[in-house]
Amino acid sequence: MTVPPVAFPWRGLLCAALLLPALAACDSPEQKAQRAKEAERVAHAGEDFKRDQQLWREQRSAELLKPDGWTSLVGLHPIEAGSHYFGSDSDNGIRLSVGPGHLGLLSLDKGRLRFVPERGLALTLNEQPLKGAAVLLADDSPAGPTRIGFDEGKGVLTAIKRGGNLYLRVRHADAPSRTGFGGIDYWPVQQDWKLSAKFVAHPAGQTIEVANIIGVIEPTPNPGAVEFERDGRTYRIEALDQGGEELMLVFADRTSGHGSYSAGRFLDVARPNLQGKVTVDFNKAYNPPCAFTPFATCPLPPEGNRLDLEITAGEKAYKAAEKAAATAS
């Protein structure tokens, strides 16, 4: 009986392994130099990518932890029509959690907000000594909101407008959310989450209804949508125009509430080039301010921006906030 020869698949692999160096040895000096140059270019690109990501993360933390950054928020108070004393004492109509017992009087009449300071207090108006009563501009003013400083500059008061209503926003450098900041967790950086995308423009002036976390719905400029491909599928995110140099993507995905912040994340992208191309780097997807403080008014993802995709890149849910919520419940 003749025993058939046994096939050894590894023989073919061994032959190939032995053959490749031989083929490479046949390359011309120019080919070898070109291959080495390409390998060096790829290595440098990878290092540049890692440095860019690290720098972005450091800048992100620095912005959050500024004395008047998002982690410094300590209050958000609706301002009704009429006059209201405010301060940290219990006899105020608007009671603050920090600051002097009595800061002064706020008066809202036909959209005009006037502030009369408490006599003898050392306050500032836009970083200059406050000498008397002042009209306060809200954050929808072209000049930006008026800033009232207290506690030797540690505290800052501003008026913000949401859905036609005014709110008093209070910041303080000694906010527990700032002094007890727990740091940000990230998924590992991955170059394949930095994608080339197409910008699909909308007609000029188009808006989209965007709800925020305090229940206000506002029409927001929506110049177009960003379309990208992942694993053979095309996904679309409506872009919001906040008036800056970049467009904002407010989105949720299959990690929302399962690794990332439950209410979604933000991503800033450069405006499209002349060919209508944009770069979408999900490694730089970040948590909205509401992930760090209950006193922000973050926009929520429009319905079309809830993606059937697991984006395992960018910032994870803020653990310190999750722990505080679990303790409170």
Side-chain angles (χ1 to χ4, degrees):
M1 179 178 180
T2 302
V3 179
V6 179
F8 292 98
W10 51 267
R11 284 182 176 172
L13 296 175
L14 178 60
C15 292
L18 294 172
L19 184 60
L20 286 174
L23 291 173
C26 296
D27 284 349
S28 68
E30 291 79 7
Q31 289 173 318
K32 289 181 180 179
Q34 184 62 34
R35 191 164 52 247
K37 185 176 181 180
E38 178 62 17
E40 184 179 5
R41 185 195 66 79
V42 171
H44 284 169
E47 290 303 315
D48 289 346
F49 174 75
K50 291 178 182 178
R51 279 195 296 270
D52 174 68
Q53 295 291 332
Q54 183 59 35
L55 178 61
W56 181 84
R57 291 182 179 187
E58 291 171 358
Q59 292 173 338
R60 164 76 172 145
S61 290
E63 286 292 324
L64 281 172
L65 290 173
K66 284 182 176 180
D68 61 349
W70 286 116
T71 58
S72 72
L73 266 62
V74 292
L76 182 69
H77 307 274
I79 305 173
E80 305 291 343
S83 298
H84 317 275
Y85 287 104
F86 71 107
S88 61
D89 281 359
S90 59
D91 60 348
N92 289 285
I94 299 176
R95 188 179 182 186
L96 309 185
S97 62
V98 295
H102 297 89
L103 269 159
L105 181 72
L106 282 176
S107 298
L108 178 60
D109 181 33
K110 298 179 180 178
R112 183 174 181 267
L113 184 62
R114 188 169 182 267
F115 170 52
V116 180
E118 187 78 6
R119 190 183 299 274
L121 274 185
L123 303 176
T124 60
L125 175 75
N126 296 332
E127 286 69 52
Q128 299 299 318
L130 177 63
K131 301 183 183 295
V135 173
L136 305 186
L137 302 177
D139 63 343
D140 63 336
S141 166
T146 305
R147 294 165 56 91
I148 300 295
F150 63 95
D151 278 1
E152 298 181 337
K154 286 187 175 183
V156 178
L157 304 167
T158 55
I160 66 172
K161 183 176 285 188
R162 298 293 183 269
N165 298 314
L166 286 176
Y167 297 81
L168 184 67
R169 170 172 279 169
V170 189
R171 288 180 160 92
H172 202 284
D174 294 337
S177 50
R178 178 173 182 265
T179 58
F181 184 66
I184 304 173
D185 291 327
Y186 292 89
W187 273 281
V189 295
Q190 302 167 71
Q191 287 195 6
D192 64 349
W193 276 114
K194 185 176 181 179
L195 307 169
S196 178
K198 178 176 68 173
F199 184 77
V200 181
H202 292 326
Q206 179 165 310
T207 62
I208 187 172
E209 296 292 312
V210 177
N212 65 29
I213 206 160
I214 63 172
V216 176
I217 299 176
E218 294 186 288
T220 304
N222 173 215
V226 171
E227 290 186 351
F228 65 94
E229 291 187 1
R230 181 76 179 181
D231 299 328
R233 291 183 59 186
T234 299
Y235 298 91
R236 180 184 178 99
I237 304 178
E238 295 294 335
L240 308 180
D241 190 347
Q242 304 284 343
E245 296 181 357
E246 298 176 306
L247 300 176
M248 175 184 279
L249 308 183
V250 181
F251 70 94
D253 66 280
R254 284 197 170 274
T255 71
S256 301
H258 303 280
S260 68
Y261 182 53
S262 59
R265 289 181 285 173
F266 295 170
L267 179 60
D268 299 325
V269 299
R271 294 178 183 272
N273 63 19
L274 295 177
Q275 291 73 43
K277 299 295 184 182
V278 294
T279 297
V280 180
D281 188 354
F282 285 107
N283 293 289
K284 296 180 180 179
Y286 61 97
N287 290 321
C290 298
F292 307 100
T293 173
F295 303 115
T297 62
C298 311
L300 299 172
E303 186 174 350
N305 287 5
R306 302 177 187 276
L307 307 180
D308 184 18
L309 175 66
E310 189 177 34
I311 300 178
T312 52
E315 290 186 8
K316 295 183 176 181
Y318 183 51
K319 291 182 178 179
E322 289 183 332
K323 184 177 180 181
T327 303
S329 60

